[in-house]
Amino acid sequence: MRILLLSLIFSNLLFAEFDVSGHLDLDSQIYLTKANDKNANSFTASQTLELTYTHDNLTIFSKLYAQEAYYDFTGELQKTKRTFARLDELYVKYDFENDAIKVGKSIEFWGSLELRNIADAFNPNEFRDDLFSTNKLGVWNIQYSHYTQTGEISLIVKLDEQEQKMAAYPYVYYFFPKFVTYNGALATQDGVNRPSVFLKYSGSTDTEYALDYSVIFENGYDSQRYFSTNTPDNLDRIKSTFGQPTSFVQNAYIVNKIITYDTLVVGSTLFKLEALYAKVDEDENVGDYSHIALGVEHTLENFYESAALGLIAEYYRYDTFEKNKYGDLELFETMQDDLFIGARYSLNNANDSTLVGGGIFDLEYDEQVYYLKGESRLLDSFKVSLDYYYIVASKSDQTAYAFLGDHQRVAVNIAYHF
């Protein structure tokens, strides 16, 4: 019997497909303008390993991530606590003729805009990473999808809420004051294992003007969270007065939320929309709110020889609707009344070289962010990325960037893909 079982397993493996891929990254950042007591630079190594097993209609996928920060191996005063390993994804997916089931830990990407995807509300961000990177935490969930001729409908149940740890104070992107401590603790309205349910429909049209659209309804924990002290008010005032540590926690609350992200192609112009409205379930600090972002990108093909130039404009608007509750400043919302003007230059060569940049202009708090990013592939397996960021923080309001202060950085990333 045991021999027969081993034979069956071996025969299945023989006709299955294994795929191993990933990349090794070396990231260097130099901070030309920063707070005086922060580290002047950052050197980070990271590894991403993806394993895929397929057999007939079955797929098993896993993604592992590990990161080592140079300053975590130096003196105690410079440690940033940015060295860690985590399991990002581990799921099983089975495809039927018109349906699919996926169970496990996964990362989903929702959105269409260039600068920021406000619709991307499924996975929390990694707080220990670069402020300007997209590094998401996987979440445990169950998904059922049904495919139609023009789209798909999905029912997704998120099974838990992830804590978001932060780096230590010497890291330049730790934005709390020095006397504030935060260890990643998460306070929830109804327990971390209270399910969040998403119903998502995505479709497209096959007409002269190509429209792709997605509509999502959520009942569960909001992707927006807020911070509060976990010490009694009188003790908190005493500690703050004498400069002693005050401990903060992150808070998750329940919402009914509707989200959409859509694109429309008209000739060489791409129109984009991301929007959401959240009805908050009786939280004492956060009220109902909306977030809307509109974008347009016009591409000039063969702008210079075979290169293409994309001209980009996006506008973001965030509004809260209940007085005496937190607004955008307390919620650290940076895209509350902001205009982005930028461009993308694509060489369309064998190295997939691109250059993208622009300016973000806060129309309410008089802040600006300017950036320029370039990347190119070398020798098929290597990718080199460079970027420059310059932040002019508000001098009159306590915005998220005001906690960071005026900031200027140059970064180089070298990645080996296999």
Side-chain angles (χ1 to χ4, degrees):
M1 182 67 182
R2 185 176 299 175
I3 295 177
L4 177 60
L5 181 59
L6 291 174
S7 299
L8 290 173
I9 294 174
F10 178 76
S11 62
N12 283 333
L13 293 177
L14 189 62
F15 294 100
E17 295 185 12
F18 287 95
D19 182 69
V20 179
S21 61
H23 50 94
L24 306 175
D25 294 66
L26 295 176
D27 190 72
S28 302
Q29 298 181 359
I30 308 297
Y31 309 119
L32 306 176
T33 307
K34 64 171 186 66
N36 291 332
D37 51 352
K38 300 282 190 174
N39 291 341
N41 46 53
S42 172
F43 304 102
T44 310
S46 63
Q47 306 86 45
T48 301
L49 178 64
E50 298 180 356
L51 306 173
T52 306
Y53 167 85
T54 58
H55 178 62
D56 294 336
N57 296 328
L58 176 68
T59 301
I60 301 176
F61 178 80
S62 65
K63 180 181 177 182
L64 305 171
Y65 178 84
Q67 176 174 295
E68 301 86 27
Y70 164 74
Y71 279 110
D72 289 344
F73 302 94
T74 60
E76 191 66 29
L77 295 178
Q78 293 180 307
K79 289 184 183 297
T80 59
K81 296 183 180 179
R82 298 182 59 241
T83 298
F84 57 88
R86 66 175 191 238
L87 174 66
D88 280 345
E89 297 188 83
L90 177 61
Y91 63 78
V92 178
K93 182 181 180 183
Y94 193 88
D95 291 293
F96 301 90
E97 184 175 354
N98 295 313
D99 306 271
I101 295 176
K102 186 165 75 171
V103 179
K105 194 175 191 179
S106 64
I107 296 175
E108 308 294 328
F109 289 96
W110 298 341
S112 57
L113 290 161
E114 169 68 30
L115 183 63
R116 176 180 163 191
N117 298 122
I118 63 174
D120 199 11
F122 191 71
N123 300 90
N125 291 316
E126 173 60 78
F127 279 169
R128 292 170 291 183
D129 207 356
D130 177 8
L131 178 67
F132 304 105
S133 69
T134 301
N135 191 340
K136 292 189 168 291
L137 305 174
V139 296
W140 294 100
N141 66 95
I142 301 172
Q143 300 187 25
Y144 166 75
S145 299
H146 174 71
Y147 305 103
T148 67
Q149 290 184 344
T150 58
E152 69 175 274
I153 184 168
S154 300
L155 177 64
I156 309 172
V157 180
K158 185 195 293 188
L159 301 176
D160 70 342
E161 288 298 306
Q162 282 271 38
E163 294 182 345
Q164 292 173 283
K165 296 182 179 181
M166 281 191 184
Y169 180 80
Y171 184 51
V172 73
Y173 296 124
Y174 178 87
F175 56 86
F176 282 138
K178 195 169 187 177
F179 63 82
V180 171
T181 61
Y182 169 74
N183 62 4
L186 178 64
T188 60
Q189 186 173 334
D190 195 19
V192 295
N193 297 119
R194 192 275 194 192
S196 295
V197 180
F198 299 80
L199 183 63
K200 178 176 182 282
Y201 181 75
S202 298
S204 60
T205 60
D206 187 14
T207 61
E208 179 182 358
Y209 303 118
L211 172 66
D212 293 319
Y213 56 91
S214 294
V215 179
I216 305 162
F217 173 77
E218 178 198 359
N219 172 263
Y221 285 114
D222 197 5
S223 56
Q224 176 182 262
R225 298 173 177 177
Y226 66 91
F227 298 96
S228 63
T229 178
N230 65 352
T231 54
D233 289 344
N234 58 341
L235 181 60
D236 182 47
R237 285 194 295 270
I238 293 172
K239 288 185 175 182
S240 297
T241 301
F242 292 97
Q244 297 300 313
T246 296
S247 179
F248 269 45
V249 297
Q250 195 178 38
N251 295 265
Y253 53 89
I254 295 171
V255 296
N256 286 307
K257 191 174 186 179
I258 187 166
I259 306 169
T260 185
Y261 60 95
D262 319 281
T263 60
L264 175 67
V265 180
V266 180
S268 298
T269 304
L270 178 64
F271 297 93
K272 308 174 186 180
L273 167 67
E274 293 188 31
L276 60 89
Y277 177 82
K279 179 71 175 177
V280 179
D281 182 20
E282 299 181 355
D283 186 87
E284 64 180 1
N285 293 309
V286 179
D288 303 346
Y289 70 94
S290 68
H291 209 170
I292 299 173
L294 301 169
V296 60
E297 181 173 349
H298 181 72
T299 301
L300 302 173
E301 301 289 351
N302 300 317
F303 176 76
Y304 178 74
E305 296 182 349
S306 61
L309 178 66
L311 305 176
I312 308 168
E314 295 176 353
Y315 175 72
Y316 297 77
R317 178 72 189 188
Y318 178 91
D319 289 290
T320 56
F321 301 109
E322 296 186 49
K323 294 182 179 179
N324 302 319
K325 291 193 175 183
Y326 288 169
D328 57 271
L329 292 177
E330 292 85 358
L331 295 167
F332 297 101
E333 177 54 61
T334 59
M335 306 300 293
Q336 88 294 340
D337 186 14
D338 292 69
L339 177 65
F340 168 60
I341 303 295
R344 179 188 298 104
Y345 188 69
S346 304
L347 295 181
N348 293 324
N349 56 13
N351 296 330
D352 296 325
S353 302
T354 60
L355 188 66
V356 61
I360 309 165
F361 306 94
D362 191 311
L363 305 181
E364 182 175 1
Y365 300 125
D366 191 27
E367 289 185 322
Q368 302 92 46
V369 179
Y370 304 95
Y371 77 94
L372 184 65
K373 298 191 295 185
E375 64 178 33
S376 181
R377 289 192 177 275
L378 299 174
L379 304 174
D380 294 330
S381 298
F382 290 89
K383 185 168 76 172
V384 178
S385 304
L386 301 93
D387 71 52
Y388 168 79
Y389 278 87
Y390 178 41
I391 298 175
V392 181
S394 174
K395 303 299 187 295
S396 58
D397 297 274
Q398 286 297 318
T399 66
Y401 288 141
F403 282 100
L404 180 65
D406 288 352
H407 180 64
Q408 193 173 187
R409 83 112 186 265
V410 177
V412 179
N413 178 279
I414 302 174
Y416 169 71
H417 292 257
F418 58 89

